[in-house]
Amino acid sequence: MAVPSTIKVKPTIISLKKCQDNFKFWKGKVKPWDVEDEIYKLHIDHSKNVLAAHTAAYNYLKGIFGYDEKKKQFDPNAQGIIAQKFRLKGTVPDKHMSDSQKLGHDVFIFAYHGVHNPYHRKDDSPPILPFGFFVSKDIEEFAYSHGAPCDVTEKNDLVDQSKLDKYYLLAQDLREFKAHQVATDDSLKKDFWYYFGNPATWEDEEDYGLNLFKNAGEFRYYEKIRPSFIKALLWPFVIEYAPLGSDETSNENLDLYNAFKKAFPIYISTHEKQPCRT
């Protein structure tokens, strides 16, 4: 896959120097930090090691992994997750890409430096059963990959719309910045897992799950994420929490799972009785 050394978006051109300059800008936005501080060390360790999480609608899986309806088989040589700009028409629906199109970000696939967040799939067509894809850190190289300090969308009131050219960072700088931000930001309770997406807080704090995206760092990948770049897959199999709607849908889900593990056995847990779940 040919990746350009710079990528043109609105209102800027993403270059290596631009990302480096932006890191200096964002470092100036947080309180000074002590690199010897134990809390900071803990945050930086977490931040550098968590995998980026991409969330996809249930009906996207067939297109992503080349499912043949007649043969009931997935294609081991499938292209993977493809950015809107490069997709064949009709492969997957696009219902949430208006901001990306305006900025020229439709050439990217997005993933959070945070939890696999099913909130963003709430407007999907039934059954609402989001898949989670966890992306390898090995591909976080410019210009194929870069980061943003938060989700750059018009509905995010933390985004300064007058400084959109600042929202481009090198992937490693994004990881470092988020550790500093969490360690020094009282609104994030100086707790990495509160920032990341703590399941207990999701239950206890009203609107927590609805607002996680506002602070979540974001990775962007140019054109596509190949199956070989996906480190793990979270399969929606918890029926009691994500009702499938009918026995027919449940059976189809299981059939897809069995067909998938034949084509991509690397993703399947060795604990067969406990497949990856949302």
Side-chain angles (χ1 to χ4, degrees):
M1 177 171 60
V3 179
S5 58
T6 62
I7 301 172
K8 186 176 181 180
V9 296
K10 296 178 181 178
T12 191
I13 293 177
I14 309 174
S15 66
L16 181 66
K17 185 177 186 304
K18 180 66 177 174
C19 291
Q20 292 170 333
D21 290 343
N22 284 346
F23 185 39
K24 296 175 184 176
F25 171 82
W26 286 104
K27 285 172 71 174
K29 293 289 186 180
V30 296
K31 297 176 183 177
W33 55 81
D34 179 0
V35 294
E36 297 302 321
D37 182 81
E38 291 302 318
I39 293 179
Y40 165 73
K41 288 181 179 179
L42 186 62
H43 288 326
I44 198 70
D45 184 59
H46 291 327
S47 185
K48 286 184 175 181
N49 285 289
V50 296
L51 297 179
H54 174 81
T55 305
Y58 182 73
N59 59 348
Y60 281 31
L61 188 81
K62 292 180 179 180
I64 291 171
F65 291 100
Y67 186 74
D68 187 317
E69 292 285 358
K70 292 183 178 180
K71 296 180 179 179
K72 305 298 181 185
Q73 295 176 351
F74 286 95
D75 180 5
N77 298 311
Q79 291 292 299
I81 311 171
I82 303 175
Q84 184 193 50
K85 192 80 171 181
F86 305 99
R87 293 176 195 157
L88 295 175
K89 291 184 178 179
T91 53
V92 292
D94 292 308
K95 298 181 179 180
H96 62 287
M97 296 290 291
S98 58
D99 285 355
S100 295
Q101 291 169 348
K102 290 177 185 176
L103 296 172
H105 288 174
D106 52 350
V107 299
F108 301 126
I109 294 295
F110 307 90
Y112 279 139
H113 178 254
V115 71
H116 155 71
N117 194 342
Y119 159 70
H120 292 285
R121 306 261 55 93
K122 64 183 179 64
D123 295 326
D124 290 342
S125 299
I128 299 178
L129 294 165
F131 283 90
F133 300 101
F134 296 88
V135 187
S136 172
K137 285 184 59 187
D138 296 340
I139 61 171
E140 292 177 9
E141 296 184 6
F142 190 82
Y144 170 68
S145 174
H146 70 279
C150 62
D151 189 336
V152 183
T153 176
E154 289 180 350
K155 66 181 179 180
N156 189 349
D157 52 18
L158 298 181
V159 174
D160 186 342
Q161 297 292 329
S162 70
K163 291 185 172 63
L164 291 179
D165 64 311
K166 302 297 184 184
Y167 289 81
Y168 305 96
L169 298 168
L170 298 180
Q172 64 266 31
D173 290 343
L174 165 65
R175 289 182 178 276
E176 185 174 341
F177 171 72
K178 297 311 292 189
H180 297 329
Q181 184 184 34
V182 174
T184 59
D185 191 333
D186 291 335
S187 72
L188 298 175
K189 304 187 185 300
K190 299 181 180 180
D191 182 343
F192 185 84
W193 299 118
Y194 181 88
Y195 151 80
F196 183 85
N198 189 342
T201 309
W202 207 294
E203 298 291 333
D204 298 338
E205 189 172 307
E206 188 177 3
D207 292 339
Y208 174 72
L210 304 182
N211 291 310
L212 273 175
F213 78 95
K214 292 184 176 181
N215 275 300
E218 185 178 67
F219 292 99
R220 305 188 188 116
Y221 305 90
Y222 183 75
E223 188 176 343
K224 68 181 68 174
I225 298 176
R226 297 184 185 279
S228 59
F229 295 166
I230 298 171
K231 195 77 171 179
L233 186 152
L234 198 62
W235 197 283
F237 253 146
V238 181
I239 298 174
E240 61 268 33
Y241 293 116
L244 296 178
S246 69
D247 289 340
E248 182 179 350
T249 304
S250 181
N251 289 337
E252 180 191 17
N253 191 30
L254 184 58
D255 288 343
L256 283 177
Y257 174 76
N258 287 327
F260 186 88
K261 70 179 183 180
K262 289 180 181 178
F264 301 97
I266 189 173
Y267 294 123
I268 304 303
S269 170
T270 54
H271 302 288
E272 195 60 39
K273 296 181 180 179
Q274 297 179 344
C276 298
R277 299 179 172 183
T278 56

